[in-house]
Amino acid sequence: MSMLGIEISYNDYRVLSFSKITENVSTGLILGRTFSTVWVIFSIAVGVFTCILTLIDFSVKKDIAAPIVGLVMLCISVFDMFHLLVILGVVHTNLDLDSAIYITWFVSRILNILLLILGTYIIINLKEKHVNTDREKKTLVKFLGISFFMISIISIIFIINLKSIPSVFIHRDNFFTHPLEIISIVGYLFWGGYLMPKVLKSFDGIFFKMLILSMIPAIFADVHMAVFYKNFDVEYNFAQFLRLFANLVPLIGISLNYSRNITTQHQMNLILDQEVKSKEKIQQDLERRQNLLQTAEKLANMGSWELDVKTKEINFSDALYKIFGYMPNSISPDLDLMYNMIIPEYRAGYKTMLETAISKQTNFNTEYQVLWVNGQRRYILAQGRYIQADKKIIGTCLDITELKETSQKLSQNEALLKEAESIAHNGSFEWFNGIDHFFWSEEMFRIHGYQPNSVEITLNFYEKLIHKDDVEKCKQTILSILDEKKDFATEYRIYRPDKSIRYVYLTAKVIVNHENEIIKIIGNLQDITELKNAAILLEKTESIYKTIASNVPDSVVLMFDTDHKLILFDGPIITEVKFKTKLSQGIHLKEIFDEGEYIDNKNILDRAFAGEEIQLEKDFPDDKTFMIDFKPVKNVSGGVFNVMVVMHDITEIKNVQKNLESKVEELNSSNQDLEQFAYVASHDLQEPLRKIRAFGERLQNKFTDNITPEGLDYIKRMQNASERMQTLIDDLLTFSRVTRTDEVYVDVDLHDEFQKIIEDLEYTIEKKNATIDLMVNHHIDAIPSQIRQLFQNLLSNAIKFTKEGVPPLVEIKSEILKGEALDNERLEQNKDYCRITVKDNGIGFDQQYADKIFELFQRLHTRNEYQGTGIGLAVCKKIVDKHNGEIIVSSKQNEGTLFAIILPIKH
């Protein structure tokens, strides 16, 4: 299509164009030049990479054929670099640009095919002459590389010095504009059709199979170059692209060669790894079985022996030595030694049993005792098996000494348990799932009024023993156990055969298998009838006292016995009274009070136990005052058995009048001080300040030339100090006016107020490049001047305390909420409130200073960092408090600050 100049268009829009470049189009066609440059650069890179890979292949396999082709491509890449510099105009020759570009292409193709033919000839002949040693191969590679490189350099020098080219190279008027391209085409046909088949007979690698394919794009590249009209036209670019493709084919070949070699090596490695792992696994399995056997013998405290019937040779395992009381391999085992280890009363029987097993080729098992060298006796369980094939007897010896001793102790413990159950009146039981029958201990029968094992215990039988009012509760307990499968405890009543009713307390443990199915239930049952009756009586008595104690307002009630121990404590304010230790039943008087108070209270209690009723008033360290009454509690005969101490809190009553008088005096004094301060601040302080500032300005303006720089600095500092003093006085006056204002509450449009504040701060906002995002559209009842002062202070702070290099962003929002939604106990739950939030992206502060910033003269930064007096936020707090609202702040260092102001809608 490119050679025929095909063009596809629609409605004058060129969809696809392979039109030839006409004569009136410049050689420096930008798009064609760009693509041509890209193809040449890629061709150079591919040639270099191919050479590197072939040299790496040579260093591994010492095969000289591939690097010869790689060196040819490297040298052609060097010449192509010269061709690229000519295209880019970096290198200039004696020829015009069009001629220089084509002649460098032509020489590059001729040089490429000549070096390929030369290299292929060398490969064919080397195979016959056999260059044997690695050193000879390396020398040959270096020689060929230098030779090819010198040929490329000579070709470059030749073109640079070339004055002109014959007209036969370029015929613009013919179809074949560059007819000499036929030379390289013939060269490729000769190389690919004659020489390469000979190479493939000796080298069947993927690289050479792919290399011969590079002939096809190379020939087509020369065909396109034979018909191109102008440099950088379609045929020219397509020829450059095909040359790139011809270079890519060998690179793909050497890459595939590497891939196949790696795959083959990987498969060989896998086979070797599998063989090694298989052998290691067999070895590990043998070692594991041996270790497992030794471990099993140690865990089971069992040893093994082997007796050859013909030779009478016997072998012990390491564990068997220890069972007989010896260190492993410390003695040479034989039959006589084994017989002598057995205690005489068992020795003859064991010897007869072993000889019978040998003669009759049978098995045996027996139990005997051995005597250790230290005099200790051990119980042994022995087994033997005759092995017909090997003519041997293999036996095991299991040390069952602990088992024997445990069995004896178990018998003793069972007798002790029966005795303990009888004394404690506790019984035990066991029930297996799926079996209706219960196992009861002897005491279980006695608790229920039966002789041991006199009746059979089943579920139906036991249901009749349970009190009729507790049957349903017990059934529900059983159902819950079957469902939850957890340990449980319950209390219920039973009938005895004599119709008496007993209280019992049952605790049980549920045993389950790995599938969480119940296997059995074991438990204990105790007769608690006497304890229950005593507890009921005590509960009634305590209930009476607690009812009295909990209903005495603002008081604490304590009850002491004759040993001065606390037996009851209660009262509405018991948690508010601080004692030496936490109150608990049974605690002694000395643990409740310090030593001095203990002696005083002990004397008073002794007087109360003597029958005296005592009342006294006492101040506690936590500023509380109590009226304390000591009341003797007498029995029917008139004897005092307890003393009730009633502590009644009279702090509020005592302090009400005192507090009222004190607050009136404080209020009057505060008002007088405030009025006096306001007068002094507005008259006596401001007038001297004005004079200081006025005279300072005159000194600075009139006598600047007569005052030293140090003096001018003093004047400047004086002016700054007086200005800060003036600001401080104004802020204090503002703070004092908040509480003394006579202004009334009116309807305030918050949006309008914020707009006015933003207009007042317009210069500061522009200077700081601040952004104010205002989303407020509500009305509240408020004092306009104070509301304006409140939000002006907050907005000013948001713009002032900013991060360096970050433009301030302030978001102001409002919403209406009910008091209950604000989660603040100081707000009325059913009242409507307006919450206004002022959020900035400034420097923020540590949240631990959230309360401190609302105090007078509190600053978190120095005056050199940020100006101010530390009064602004205190004024804000005063204003919010005067409006019966709340102001809350949340902040993080370097993450900005959020102020939330909650104000009532109506006053």
Side-chain angles (χ1 to χ4, degrees), residues 677-711:
F677 169 76
Y679 177 83
V680 171
S682 61
H683 294 88
D684 296 348
L685 289 178
Q686 296 201 43
E687 182 59 27
L689 277 177
R690 283 194 291 269
K691 289 182 178 180
I692 291 171
R693 295 180 67 181
F695 287 128
E697 289 176 359
R698 292 179 185 178
L699 280 172
Q700 189 173 9
N701 295 334
K702 292 184 178 182
F703 302 100
T704 302
D705 298 335
N706 299 328
I707 301 176
T708 64
E710 185 179 5

Side-chain angles (χ1 to χ4, degrees), residues 736-745 783 785-786 882-883:
S736 66
R737 290 193 195 102
V738 172
T739 55
R740 296 190 302 115
T741 181
D742 295 324
E743 295 181 67
V744 297
Y745 290 91
I783 300 173
S785 61
Q786 293 188 4
K882 186 172 180 64
H883 284 75

Side-chain angles (χ1 to χ4, degrees), residues 665-677 740:
E665 292 177 0
E666 290 176 1
L667 183 60
N668 292 333
S669 177
S670 175
N671 288 337
Q672 291 174 2
D673 293 342
L674 188 59
E675 290 174 0
Q676 184 178 1
F677 169 76
R740 296 190 302 115

Side-chain angles (χ1 to χ4, degrees), residues 734-754:
T734 301
F735 183 79
S736 66
R737 290 193 195 102
V738 172
T739 55
R740 296 190 302 115
T741 181
D742 295 324
E743 295 181 67
V744 297
Y745 290 91
V746 297
D747 182 73
V748 175
D749 187 338
L750 294 177
H751 182 81
D752 290 343
E753 291 298 327
F754 272 108

Side-chain angles (χ1 to χ4, degrees), residues 500-539:
S500 63
I501 298 174
R502 307 293 292 181
Y503 287 90
V504 293
Y505 184 74
L506 182 145
T507 57
K509 182 176 182 63
V510 179
I511 309 299
V512 298
N513 58 18
H514 63 281
E515 296 177 355
N516 202 32
E517 296 176 346
I518 296 177
I519 300 175
K520 65 179 180 179
I521 298 176
I522 57 176
N524 176 272
L525 186 134
Q526 182 180 12
D527 187 339
I528 59 170
T529 306
E530 286 72 19
L531 292 175
K532 190 67 177 178
N533 291 335
I536 292 172
L537 180 60
L538 180 61
E539 184 179 349

Side-chain angles (χ1 to χ4, degrees), residues 566-585:
L566 185 66
I567 60 173
L568 184 145
F569 55 93
D570 208 334
I573 61 169
I574 192 166
T575 57
E576 300 178 15
V577 181
K578 305 300 181 184
F579 295 99
K580 179 182 176 182
T581 58
K582 185 178 179 181
L583 297 182
S584 61
Q585 194 168 6

Side-chain angles (χ1 to χ4, degrees), residues 50-100:
T50 304
C51 180
I52 293 172
L53 291 178
T54 56
L55 291 175
I56 294 173
D57 184 72
F58 170 72
S59 66
V60 175
K61 300 196 299 187
K62 304 303 179 184
D63 188 353
I64 202 170
I68 291 177
V69 178
L71 290 172
V72 171
M73 298 188 69
L74 177 64
C75 292
I76 298 304
S77 296
V78 172
F79 190 87
D80 285 345
M81 179 63 73
F82 170 70
H83 175 57
L84 176 63
L85 296 176
V86 171
I87 292 173
L88 297 176
V90 176
V91 174
H92 299 281
T93 66
N94 296 322
L95 303 174
D96 61 275
L97 183 60
D98 282 353
S99 299

